[in-house]
Amino acid sequence: AESFEVLGPADPVAAVAGEDVVLPCYLKPNISAVDLSIEWLRVHTEDPVVHLYQDHEDRNEKQIPSYRGRTSLFPEELRKGNTSLKVKNVRGSDNGEYKCFIQAGDWYDDSSINVHIKAVGTHPVISIEGYKEGGISLVCESKGWYPQPQVVWMDSEGHGLPAGHTETHTDSMDLFTVRRRVIVQERETNRFTCRILQQQINEMKETITDIPGEMFHRAHPWKVAFAVFFSLGVPAIIILAVLIPRYIKQQREKRLLTKRLGK
Ligand SMILES: *[C@@H]1O[C@H](CO)[C@@H](O)[C@H](O)[C@H]1NC(C)=O
Ligand SMILES: *[C@@H]1O[C@H](CO)[C@@H](O)[C@H](O)[C@H]1NC(C)=O
């Protein structure tokens, strides 16, 4: 029986979403792996098969569905003991720890490889949602991030604004879409910044918006209601106060008249 060691990279492998990546793994000594069983697995997963090569062929019936059609070994490299795996069109869910497990009869060894997926999302888009709670509600959205980024709202001086919770969704590539709402009040400088921050990949994108001051004056519907009440309401009340008793009196006189005529 042959004995060998399975080696991989000491450092995590970085991969950009949408691109292809090679996960390195090789035998020491560099004996041929053509006749061996080569298994690429996800660690901490129930059905962990990413790629299986056995009896001289790929056997991917039990492969994790998200890897279907995206994995391959390098056939011409197997003879040199190179069992690296190519993963095409990398997606967010490919992030994590892998194992390269190689078996020859009773002998086996494995090596762990960490894959760090990175995706820099779109510039945030700020939209005005409308008037809310005496202020203006702004929404910030950015798509296509990995790992999940933070969303921060700031005033013109860079101070954080109290905002709602960050809504998070994943797209078909398992990348993150983030959305966060803030209700802003009129200030001296109505300039607001939405910053998307991903510290693990050292990326930041931000968008600044200026809200015209006049927009805030319409932000107080109760003020408008109040004004309407005083311009229309008070006269209306006076009119009603005069008309209602008059109407009641008329009705009573009418009734008395019919009674008298009926007799
Ligand atoms: C195996 O490694 C040795 C050096 O360690 C090298 O000389 C030889 O060419 C390698 N064999 C193959 C098939 O790559
Ligand atoms: C294994 O093969 C891949 C693909 O050709 C190559 O990028 C990588 O450098 C090889 N690794 C070794 C240790 O030879």
Side-chain angles (χ1 to χ4, degrees):
E2 294 168 299
S3 73
F4 52 81
E5 258 186 282
V6 175
L7 300 176
D11 296 324
V13 174
V16 176
E19 296 183 357
D20 300 347
V21 67
V22 174
L23 311 188
C25 182
Y26 53 95
L27 301 178
K28 188 188 161 193
N30 55 0
I31 54 167
S32 170
V34 171
D35 299 328
L36 309 188
S37 157
I38 303 165
E39 233 176 320
W40 277 92
L41 307 165
R42 282 304 298 258
V43 178
H44 314 303
T45 313
E46 218 164 281
D47 295 305
V49 180
V50 173
H51 192 98
L52 175 62
Y53 169 93
Q54 215 166 34
D55 303 326
H56 307 108
E57 58 187 13
D58 293 328
R59 301 177 149 262
N60 283 324
E61 302 83 26
K62 290 184 182 163
Q63 184 182 43
I64 299 171
S66 67
Y67 290 96
R68 191 134 300 152
R70 294 197 295 126
T71 60
S72 56
L73 298 168
F74 296 92
E76 65 289 2
E77 293 285 330
L78 289 181
R79 274 182 291 111
K80 301 185 239 165
N82 182 349
T83 56
S84 301
L85 183 75
K86 181 176 182 176
V87 179
K88 285 190 285 187
N89 194 18
V90 162
R91 50 204 284 176
S93 54
D94 294 346
N95 193 75
E97 192 180 349
Y98 292 75
K99 207 161 246 184
C100 169
F101 180 93
I102 300 180
Q103 194 167 10
D106 292 337
W107 185 268
Y108 63 82
D109 191 20
D110 63 37
S111 172
S112 286
I113 292 116
N114 266 299
V115 176
H116 290 178
I117 304 297
K118 161 181 171 162
V120 181
T122 58
H123 259 101
V125 172
I126 298 176
S127 38
I128 299 177
E129 233 189 0
Y131 296 110
K132 211 170 184 184
E133 293 163 28
I136 293 176
S137 175
L138 304 176
V139 189
C140 176
E141 184 178 275
S142 178
K143 295 175 181 182
W145 287 89
Y146 204 95
Q148 185 176 343
Q150 279 178 283
V151 185
V152 182
W153 273 104
M154 293 179 298
D155 65 12
S156 58
E157 281 155 23
H159 297 132
L161 293 168
H165 74 104
T166 303
E167 290 169 43
T168 308
H169 305 281
T170 50
D171 64 15
S172 57
M173 291 282 283
D174 305 312
L175 305 179
F176 293 102
T177 295
V178 286
R179 258 166 83 83
R180 196 173 191 190
R181 213 172 247 110
V182 70
I183 295 170
V184 293
Q185 311 292 337
E186 187 172 16
R187 294 156 184 266
E188 247 173 73
T189 311
N190 294 310
R191 169 165 290 187
F192 304 98
T193 301
C194 172
R195 179 176 287 177
I196 314 289
L197 206 59
Q198 210 334 309
Q199 281 157 326
Q200 286 151 276
I201 59 172
N202 199 26
E203 290 287 346
M204 187 268 274
K205 286 204 172 177
E206 64 180 32
T207 298
I208 298 171
T209 188
D210 288 297
I211 306 288
E214 311 86 69
M215 277 200 73
F216 287 94
H217 305 155
R218 281 192 280 143
H220 297 280
W222 61 270
K223 275 189 188 165
V224 176
F226 220 59
V228 169
F229 181 79
F230 274 103
S231 61
L232 288 179
V234 170
I237 286 170
I238 293 168
I239 290 164
L240 289 178
V242 173
L243 289 183
I244 290 175
R246 195 180 285 177
Y247 175 76
I248 292 170
K249 200 177 157 207
Q250 262 176 18
Q251 290 298 310
R252 203 185 318 141
E253 280 168 2
K254 215 190 222 170
R255 240 179 291 131
L256 282 174
L257 199 67
T258 7
K259 234 188 223 169
R260 214 175 296 148
L261 287 177
K263 268 200 168 176

PDB file of all heavy atoms in Angstrom, residues 166-196:
ATOM      1  N   THR A 166     -31.751  46.814   9.595  1.00  0.00           N
ATOM      2  CA  THR A 166     -31.332  46.565   8.210  1.00  0.00           C
ATOM      3  C   THR A 166     -32.035  45.318   7.694  1.00  0.00           C
ATOM      4  O   THR A 166     -31.927  44.255   8.284  1.00  0.00           O
ATOM      5  CB  THR A 166     -29.803  46.385   8.148  1.00  0.00           C
ATOM      6  OG1 THR A 166     -29.189  47.549   8.689  1.00  0.00           O
ATOM      7  CG2 THR A 166     -29.323  46.165   6.727  1.00  0.00           C
ATOM      8  N   GLU A 167     -32.781  45.494   6.597  1.00  0.00           N
ATOM      9  CA  GLU A 167     -33.429  44.335   5.955  1.00  0.00           C
ATOM     10  C   GLU A 167     -32.397  43.687   5.038  1.00  0.00           C
ATOM     11  O   GLU A 167     -31.707  44.377   4.303  1.00  0.00           O
ATOM     12  CB  GLU A 167     -34.582  44.793   5.063  1.00  0.00           C
ATOM     13  CG  GLU A 167     -35.791  45.327   5.786  1.00  0.00           C
ATOM     14  CD  GLU A 167     -36.744  45.980   4.792  1.00  0.00           C
ATOM     15  OE1 GLU A 167     -36.962  45.403   3.717  1.00  0.00           O
ATOM     16  OE2 GLU A 167     -37.223  47.078   5.105  1.00  0.00           O
ATOM     17  N   THR A 168     -32.338  42.368   5.098  1.00  0.00           N
ATOM     18  CA  THR A 168     -31.347  41.644   4.294  1.00  0.00           C
ATOM     19  C   THR A 168     -32.019  40.556   3.471  1.00  0.00           C
ATOM     20  O   THR A 168     -32.873  39.832   3.992  1.00  0.00           O
ATOM     21  CB  THR A 168     -30.304  40.999   5.230  1.00  0.00           C
ATOM     22  OG1 THR A 168     -29.807  42.003   6.102  1.00  0.00           O
ATOM     23  CG2 THR A 168     -29.160  40.403   4.451  1.00  0.00           C
ATOM     24  N   HIS A 169     -31.639  40.456   2.204  1.00  0.00           N
ATOM     25  CA  HIS A 169     -32.121  39.380   1.329  1.00  0.00           C
ATOM     26  C   HIS A 169     -30.920  38.795   0.610  1.00  0.00           C
ATOM     27  O   HIS A 169     -29.896  39.458   0.492  1.00  0.00           O
ATOM     28  CB  HIS A 169     -33.101  39.924   0.296  1.00  0.00           C
ATOM     29  CG  HIS A 169     -34.250  40.654   0.895  1.00  0.00           C
ATOM     30  ND1 HIS A 169     -35.325  39.994   1.436  1.00  0.00           N
ATOM     31  CD2 HIS A 169     -34.466  41.971   1.082  1.00  0.00           C
ATOM     32  CE1 HIS A 169     -36.172  40.895   1.915  1.00  0.00           C
ATOM     33  NE2 HIS A 169     -35.672  42.107   1.724  1.00  0.00           N
ATOM     34  N   THR A 170     -31.065  37.563   0.093  1.00  0.00           N
ATOM     35  CA  THR A 170     -29.994  37.016  -0.747  1.00  0.00           C
ATOM     36  C   THR A 170     -30.552  36.791  -2.142  1.00  0.00           C
ATOM     37  O   THR A 170     -31.714  36.442  -2.302  1.00  0.00           O
ATOM     38  CB  THR A 170     -29.427  35.697  -0.185  1.00  0.00           C
ATOM     39  OG1 THR A 170     -30.519  34.829   0.108  1.00  0.00           O
ATOM     40  CG2 THR A 170     -28.617  35.925   1.073  1.00  0.00           C
ATOM     41  N   ASP A 171     -29.688  37.022  -3.139  1.00  0.00           N
ATOM     42  CA  ASP A 171     -30.128  36.856  -4.535  1.00  0.00           C
ATOM     43  C   ASP A 171     -29.768  35.449  -5.025  1.00  0.00           C
ATOM     44  O   ASP A 171     -29.338  34.598  -4.254  1.00  0.00           O
ATOM     45  CB  ASP A 171     -29.511  37.969  -5.402  1.00  0.00           C
ATOM     46  CG  ASP A 171     -27.997  37.899  -5.467  1.00  0.00           C
ATOM     47  OD1 ASP A 171     -27.415  36.853  -5.102  1.00  0.00           O
ATOM     48  OD2 ASP A 171     -27.380  38.886  -5.900  1.00  0.00           O
ATOM     49  N   SER A 172     -29.920  35.230  -6.336  1.00  0.00           N
ATOM     50  CA  SER A 172     -29.701  33.892  -6.904  1.00  0.00           C
ATOM     51  C   SER A 172     -28.240  33.458  -6.792  1.00  0.00           C
ATOM     52  O   SER A 172     -27.931  32.269  -6.888  1.00  0.00           O
ATOM     53  CB  SER A 172     -30.129  33.877  -8.364  1.00  0.00           C
ATOM     54  OG  SER A 172     -29.405  34.869  -9.062  1.00  0.00           O
ATOM     55  N   MET A 173     -27.328  34.397  -6.592  1.00  0.00           N
ATOM     56  CA  MET A 173     -25.902  34.066  -6.416  1.00  0.00           C
ATOM     57  C   MET A 173     -25.527  34.019  -4.932  1.00  0.00           C
ATOM     58  O   MET A 173     -24.346  34.006  -4.591  1.00  0.00           O
ATOM     59  CB  MET A 173     -25.036  35.116  -7.125  1.00  0.00           C
ATOM     60  CG  MET A 173     -25.131  35.059  -8.630  1.00  0.00           C
ATOM     61  SD  MET A 173     -24.139  33.717  -9.302  1.00  0.00           S
ATOM     62  CE  MET A 173     -22.498  34.437  -9.195  1.00  0.00           C
ATOM     63  N   ASP A 174     -26.532  34.040  -4.068  1.00  0.00           N
ATOM     64  CA  ASP A 174     -26.325  34.032  -2.614  1.00  0.00           C
ATOM     65  C   ASP A 174     -25.537  35.250  -2.140  1.00  0.00           C
ATOM     66  O   ASP A 174     -24.790  35.181  -1.164  1.00  0.00           O
ATOM     67  CB  ASP A 174     -25.639  32.739  -2.157  1.00  0.00           C
ATOM     68  CG  ASP A 174     -26.406  31.509  -2.607  1.00  0.00           C
ATOM     69  OD1 ASP A 174     -27.636  31.478  -2.415  1.00  0.00           O
ATOM     70  OD2 ASP A 174     -25.787  30.592  -3.171  1.00  0.00           O
ATOM     71  N   LEU A 175     -25.720  36.357  -2.844  1.00  0.00           N
ATOM     72  CA  LEU A 175     -25.104  37.615  -2.415  1.00  0.00           C
ATOM     73  C   LEU A 175     -26.164  38.442  -1.699  1.00  0.00           C
ATOM     74  O   LEU A 175     -27.366  38.236  -1.898  1.00  0.00           O
ATOM     75  CB  LEU A 175     -24.553  38.373  -3.626  1.00  0.00           C
ATOM     76  CG  LEU A 175     -23.577  37.569  -4.504  1.00  0.00           C
ATOM     77  CD1 LEU A 175     -23.106  38.407  -5.679  1.00  0.00           C
ATOM     78  CD2 LEU A 175     -22.379  37.076  -3.691  1.00  0.00           C
ATOM     79  N   PHE A 176     -25.710  39.370  -0.889  1.00  0.00           N
ATOM     80  CA  PHE A 176     -26.634  40.115  -0.025  1.00  0.00           C
ATOM     81  C   PHE A 176     -27.140  41.421  -0.643  1.00  0.00           C
ATOM     82  O   PHE A 176     -26.355  42.205  -1.185  1.00  0.00           O
ATOM     83  CB  PHE A 176     -25.966  40.436   1.310  1.00  0.00           C
ATOM     84  CG  PHE A 176     -25.701  39.211   2.142  1.00  0.00           C
ATOM     85  CD1 PHE A 176     -24.435  38.665   2.211  1.00  0.00           C
ATOM     86  CD2 PHE A 176     -26.736  38.589   2.835  1.00  0.00           C
ATOM     87  CE1 PHE A 176     -24.197  37.522   2.964  1.00  0.00           C
ATOM     88  CE2 PHE A 176     -26.508  37.448   3.592  1.00  0.00           C
ATOM     89  CZ  PHE A 176     -25.231  36.914   3.655  1.00  0.00           C
ATOM     90  N   THR A 177     -28.437  41.618  -0.501  1.00  0.00           N
ATOM     91  CA  THR A 177     -29.065  42.913  -0.778  1.00  0.00           C
ATOM     92  C   THR A 177     -29.440  43.478   0.584  1.00  0.00           C
ATOM     93  O   THR A 177     -30.055  42.774   1.386  1.00  0.00           O
ATOM     94  CB  THR A 177     -30.339  42.736  -1.628  1.00  0.00           C
ATOM     95  OG1 THR A 177     -29.956  42.219  -2.901  1.00  0.00           O
ATOM     96  CG2 THR A 177     -31.073  44.055  -1.819  1.00  0.00           C
ATOM     97  N   VAL A 178     -29.059  44.716   0.847  1.00  0.00           N
ATOM     98  CA  VAL A 178     -29.387  45.330   2.139  1.00  0.00           C
ATOM     99  C   VAL A 178     -30.196  46.610   1.918  1.00  0.00           C
ATOM    100  O   VAL A 178     -29.989  47.313   0.926  1.00  0.00           O
ATOM    101  CB  VAL A 178     -28.117  45.643   2.967  1.00  0.00           C
ATOM    102  CG1 VAL A 178     -27.524  44.375   3.546  1.00  0.00           C
ATOM    103  CG2 VAL A 178     -27.077  46.391   2.153  1.00  0.00           C
ATOM    104  N   ARG A 179     -31.110  46.852   2.840  1.00  0.00           N
ATOM    105  CA  ARG A 179     -31.983  48.032   2.781  1.00  0.00           C
ATOM    106  C   ARG A 179     -32.122  48.589   4.186  1.00  0.00           C
ATOM    107  O   ARG A 179     -32.330  47.823   5.117  1.00  0.00           O
ATOM    108  CB  ARG A 179     -33.375  47.587   2.351  1.00  0.00           C
ATOM    109  CG  ARG A 179     -33.756  47.826   0.934  1.00  0.00           C
ATOM    110  CD  ARG A 179     -35.000  47.016   0.630  1.00  0.00           C
ATOM    111  NE  ARG A 179     -36.207  47.719   1.071  1.00  0.00           N
ATOM    112  CZ  ARG A 179     -36.800  48.661   0.346  1.00  0.00           C
ATOM    113  NH1 ARG A 179     -36.321  49.014  -0.825  1.00  0.00           N
ATOM    114  NH2 ARG A 179     -37.876  49.257   0.797  1.00  0.00           N
ATOM    115  N   ARG A 180     -32.028  49.896   4.306  1.00  0.00           N
ATOM    116  CA  ARG A 180     -32.250  50.495   5.628  1.00  0.00           C
ATOM    117  C   ARG A 180     -32.911  51.856   5.464  1.00  0.00           C
ATOM    118  O   ARG A 180     -32.549  52.631   4.597  1.00  0.00           O
ATOM    119  CB  ARG A 180     -30.925  50.630   6.374  1.00  0.00           C
ATOM    120  CG  ARG A 180     -31.142  50.859   7.848  1.00  0.00           C
ATOM    121  CD  ARG A 180     -29.855  50.832   8.615  1.00  0.00           C
ATOM    122  NE  ARG A 180     -30.117  50.802  10.046  1.00  0.00           N
ATOM    123  CZ  ARG A 180     -29.204  50.970  10.976  1.00  0.00           C
ATOM    124  NH1 ARG A 180     -27.943  51.160  10.630  1.00  0.00           N
ATOM    125  NH2 ARG A 180     -29.524  50.932  12.250  1.00  0.00           N
ATOM    126  N   ARG A 181     -33.875  52.084   6.351  1.00  0.00           N
ATOM    127  CA  ARG A 181     -34.718  53.265   6.330  1.00  0.00           C
ATOM    128  C   ARG A 181     -34.294  54.223   7.449  1.00  0.00           C
ATOM    129  O   ARG A 181     -33.876  53.769   8.509  1.00  0.00           O
ATOM    130  CB  ARG A 181     -36.123  52.761   6.661  1.00  0.00           C
ATOM    131  CG  ARG A 181     -37.238  53.482   6.028  1.00  0.00           C
ATOM    132  CD  ARG A 181     -38.547  52.731   6.289  1.00  0.00           C
ATOM    133  NE  ARG A 181     -39.057  52.212   5.047  1.00  0.00           N
ATOM    134  CZ  ARG A 181     -39.091  50.941   4.722  1.00  0.00           C
ATOM    135  NH1 ARG A 181     -38.671  50.026   5.545  1.00  0.00           N
ATOM    136  NH2 ARG A 181     -39.564  50.580   3.567  1.00  0.00           N
ATOM    137  N   VAL A 182     -34.451  55.513   7.185  1.00  0.00           N
ATOM    138  CA  VAL A 182     -34.217  56.498   8.251  1.00  0.00           C
ATOM    139  C   VAL A 182     -35.274  57.590   8.108  1.00  0.00           C
ATOM    140  O   VAL A 182     -35.713  57.880   6.993  1.00  0.00           O
ATOM    141  CB  VAL A 182     -32.781  57.097   8.165  1.00  0.00           C
ATOM    142  CG1 VAL A 182     -32.609  58.010   6.961  1.00  0.00           C
ATOM    143  CG2 VAL A 182     -32.415  57.835   9.440  1.00  0.00           C
ATOM    144  N   ILE A 183     -35.721  58.140   9.235  1.00  0.00           N
ATOM    145  CA  ILE A 183     -36.638  59.284   9.172  1.00  0.00           C
ATOM    146  C   ILE A 183     -35.837  60.507   9.600  1.00  0.00           C
ATOM    147  O   ILE A 183     -35.301  60.539  10.702  1.00  0.00           O
ATOM    148  CB  ILE A 183     -37.884  59.062  10.053  1.00  0.00           C
ATOM    149  CG1 ILE A 183     -38.695  57.896   9.480  1.00  0.00           C
ATOM    150  CG2 ILE A 183     -38.731  60.336  10.117  1.00  0.00           C
ATOM    151  CD1 ILE A 183     -39.804  57.416  10.358  1.00  0.00           C
ATOM    152  N   VAL A 184     -35.708  61.475   8.676  1.00  0.00           N
ATOM    153  CA  VAL A 184     -34.883  62.645   8.962  1.00  0.00           C
ATOM    154  C   VAL A 184     -35.752  63.875   9.187  1.00  0.00           C
ATOM    155  O   VAL A 184     -36.815  64.017   8.596  1.00  0.00           O
ATOM    156  CB  VAL A 184     -33.854  62.904   7.828  1.00  0.00           C
ATOM    157  CG1 VAL A 184     -32.830  61.787   7.766  1.00  0.00           C
ATOM    158  CG2 VAL A 184     -34.534  63.062   6.474  1.00  0.00           C
ATOM    159  N   GLN A 185     -35.269  64.730  10.080  1.00  0.00           N
ATOM    160  CA  GLN A 185     -35.937  66.000  10.393  1.00  0.00           C
ATOM    161  C   GLN A 185     -35.120  67.120   9.757  1.00  0.00           C
ATOM    162  O   GLN A 185     -33.945  66.921   9.437  1.00  0.00           O
ATOM    163  CB  GLN A 185     -35.985  66.223  11.912  1.00  0.00           C
ATOM    164  CG  GLN A 185     -36.485  65.037  12.722  1.00  0.00           C
ATOM    165  CD  GLN A 185     -37.952  64.734  12.487  1.00  0.00           C
ATOM    166  OE1 GLN A 185     -38.709  65.618  12.071  1.00  0.00           O
ATOM    167  NE2 GLN A 185     -38.357  63.497  12.739  1.00  0.00           N
ATOM    168  N   GLU A 186     -35.736  68.274   9.617  1.00  0.00           N
ATOM    169  CA  GLU A 186     -35.018  69.399   9.027  1.00  0.00           C
ATOM    170  C   GLU A 186     -33.848  69.813   9.906  1.00  0.00           C
ATOM    171  O   GLU A 186     -33.952  69.824  11.134  1.00  0.00           O
ATOM    172  CB  GLU A 186     -35.963  70.590   8.824  1.00  0.00           C
ATOM    173  CG  GLU A 186     -35.277  71.696   8.049  1.00  0.00           C
ATOM    174  CD  GLU A 186     -36.224  72.809   7.644  1.00  0.00           C
ATOM    175  OE1 GLU A 186     -37.333  72.890   8.200  1.00  0.00           O
ATOM    176  OE2 GLU A 186     -35.841  73.606   6.774  1.00  0.00           O
ATOM    177  N   ARG A 187     -32.739  70.118   9.262  1.00  0.00           N
ATOM    178  CA  ARG A 187     -31.545  70.569   9.966  1.00  0.00           C
ATOM    179  C   ARG A 187     -31.000  71.784   9.247  1.00  0.00           C
ATOM    180  O   ARG A 187     -31.545  72.195   8.233  1.00  0.00           O
ATOM    181  CB  ARG A 187     -30.447  69.492   9.876  1.00  0.00           C
ATOM    182  CG  ARG A 187     -30.797  68.266  10.581  1.00  0.00           C
ATOM    183  CD  ARG A 187     -30.054  67.069  10.048  1.00  0.00           C
ATOM    184  NE  ARG A 187     -30.581  65.946  10.784  1.00  0.00           N
ATOM    185  CZ  ARG A 187     -30.033  65.465  11.882  1.00  0.00           C
ATOM    186  NH1 ARG A 187     -28.884  65.935  12.313  1.00  0.00           N
ATOM    187  NH2 ARG A 187     -30.598  64.505  12.552  1.00  0.00           N
ATOM    188  N   GLU A 188     -29.856  72.265   9.745  1.00  0.00           N
ATOM    189  CA  GLU A 188     -29.220  73.394   9.072  1.00  0.00           C
ATOM    190  C   GLU A 188     -28.771  72.986   7.677  1.00  0.00           C
ATOM    191  O   GLU A 188     -28.985  73.676   6.705  1.00  0.00           O
ATOM    192  CB  GLU A 188     -28.004  73.834   9.884  1.00  0.00           C
ATOM    193  CG  GLU A 188     -28.194  75.213  10.491  1.00  0.00           C
ATOM    194  CD  GLU A 188     -27.054  75.548  11.411  1.00  0.00           C
ATOM    195  OE1 GLU A 188     -25.948  75.821  10.892  1.00  0.00           O
ATOM    196  OE2 GLU A 188     -27.258  75.498  12.648  1.00  0.00           O
ATOM    197  N   THR A 189     -28.119  71.832   7.610  1.00  0.00           N
ATOM    198  CA  THR A 189     -27.689  71.290   6.317  1.00  0.00           C
ATOM    199  C   THR A 189     -28.430  69.981   6.116  1.00  0.00           C
ATOM    200  O   THR A 189     -28.209  69.016   6.841  1.00  0.00           O
ATOM    201  CB  THR A 189     -26.172  71.027   6.320  1.00  0.00           C
ATOM    202  OG1 THR A 189     -25.528  72.185   6.816  1.00  0.00           O
ATOM    203  CG2 THR A 189     -25.668  70.697   4.934  1.00  0.00           C
ATOM    204  N   ASN A 190     -29.312  69.968   5.127  1.00  0.00           N
ATOM    205  CA  ASN A 190     -30.112  68.763   4.899  1.00  0.00           C
ATOM    206  C   ASN A 190     -29.405  67.830   3.926  1.00  0.00           C
ATOM    207  O   ASN A 190     -29.901  67.528   2.856  1.00  0.00           O
ATOM    208  CB  ASN A 190     -31.498  69.140   4.394  1.00  0.00           C
ATOM    209  CG  ASN A 190     -32.268  69.886   5.466  1.00  0.00           C
ATOM    210  OD1 ASN A 190     -32.341  69.437   6.609  1.00  0.00           O
ATOM    211  ND2 ASN A 190     -32.803  71.043   5.103  1.00  0.00           N
ATOM    212  N   ARG A 191     -28.203  67.412   4.339  1.00  0.00           N
ATOM    213  CA  ARG A 191     -27.388  66.517   3.521  1.00  0.00           C
ATOM    214  C   ARG A 191     -27.245  65.213   4.304  1.00  0.00           C
ATOM    215  O   ARG A 191     -26.833  65.215   5.465  1.00  0.00           O
ATOM    216  CB  ARG A 191     -26.027  67.159   3.290  1.00  0.00           C
ATOM    217  CG  ARG A 191     -25.013  66.203   2.679  1.00  0.00           C
ATOM    218  CD  ARG A 191     -23.837  66.955   2.140  1.00  0.00           C
ATOM    219  NE  ARG A 191     -24.260  67.702   0.964  1.00  0.00           N
ATOM    220  CZ  ARG A 191     -23.409  68.364   0.174  1.00  0.00           C
ATOM    221  NH1 ARG A 191     -22.125  68.395   0.451  1.00  0.00           N
ATOM    222  NH2 ARG A 191     -23.856  68.996  -0.878  1.00  0.00           N
ATOM    223  N   PHE A 192     -27.628  64.121   3.639  1.00  0.00           N
ATOM    224  CA  PHE A 192     -27.620  62.829   4.327  1.00  0.00           C
ATOM    225  C   PHE A 192     -26.821  61.816   3.517  1.00  0.00           C
ATOM    226  O   PHE A 192     -26.875  61.795   2.287  1.00  0.00           O
ATOM    227  CB  PHE A 192     -29.057  62.348   4.549  1.00  0.00           C
ATOM    228  CG  PHE A 192     -29.877  63.352   5.309  1.00  0.00           C
ATOM    229  CD1 PHE A 192     -30.720  64.226   4.642  1.00  0.00           C
ATOM    230  CD2 PHE A 192     -29.754  63.464   6.689  1.00  0.00           C
ATOM    231  CE1 PHE A 192     -31.449  65.185   5.329  1.00  0.00           C
ATOM    232  CE2 PHE A 192     -30.475  64.418   7.392  1.00  0.00           C
ATOM    233  CZ  PHE A 192     -31.324  65.288   6.719  1.00  0.00           C
ATOM    234  N   THR A 193     -26.065  60.992   4.239  1.00  0.00           N
ATOM    235  CA  THR A 193     -25.190  60.011   3.594  1.00  0.00           C
ATOM    236  C   THR A 193     -25.617  58.616   3.996  1.00  0.00           C
ATOM    237  O   THR A 193     -25.852  58.344   5.168  1.00  0.00           O
ATOM    238  CB  THR A 193     -23.722  60.228   4.046  1.00  0.00           C
ATOM    239  OG1 THR A 193     -23.342  61.545   3.687  1.00  0.00           O
ATOM    240  CG2 THR A 193     -22.780  59.222   3.400  1.00  0.00           C
ATOM    241  N   CYS A 194     -25.683  57.730   3.009  1.00  0.00           N
ATOM    242  CA  CYS A 194     -25.875  56.305   3.282  1.00  0.00           C
ATOM    243  C   CYS A 194     -24.569  55.615   2.922  1.00  0.00           C
ATOM    244  O   CYS A 194     -24.103  55.709   1.786  1.00  0.00           O
ATOM    245  CB  CYS A 194     -27.015  55.731   2.443  1.00  0.00           C
ATOM    246  SG  CYS A 194     -27.101  53.940   2.619  1.00  0.00           S
ATOM    247  N   ARG A 195     -23.984  54.969   3.913  1.00  0.00           N
ATOM    248  CA  ARG A 195     -22.694  54.300   3.711  1.00  0.00           C
ATOM    249  C   ARG A 195     -22.857  52.800   3.890  1.00  0.00           C
ATOM    250  O   ARG A 195     -23.435  52.346   4.879  1.00  0.00           O
ATOM    251  CB  ARG A 195     -21.682  54.837   4.726  1.00  0.00           C
ATOM    252  CG  ARG A 195     -20.329  54.179   4.617  1.00  0.00           C
ATOM    253  CD  ARG A 195     -19.350  54.823   5.571  1.00  0.00           C
ATOM    254  NE  ARG A 195     -18.959  56.150   5.102  1.00  0.00           N
ATOM    255  CZ  ARG A 195     -18.156  56.966   5.789  1.00  0.00           C
ATOM    256  NH1 ARG A 195     -17.692  56.602   6.974  1.00  0.00           N
ATOM    257  NH2 ARG A 195     -17.843  58.135   5.298  1.00  0.00           N
ATOM    258  N   ILE A 196     -22.330  52.046   2.910  1.00  0.00           N
ATOM    259  CA  ILE A 196     -22.326  50.583   2.990  1.00  0.00           C
ATOM    260  C   ILE A 196     -20.896  50.187   3.306  1.00  0.00           C
ATOM    261  O   ILE A 196     -19.963  50.572   2.598  1.00  0.00           O
ATOM    262  CB  ILE A 196     -22.771  49.929   1.651  1.00  0.00           C
ATOM    263  CG1 ILE A 196     -24.022  50.595   1.093  1.00  0.00           C
ATOM    264  CG2 ILE A 196     -22.947  48.433   1.814  1.00  0.00           C
ATOM    265  CD1 ILE A 196     -25.295  50.328   1.837  1.00  0.00           C
TER     266      ILE A 196
END
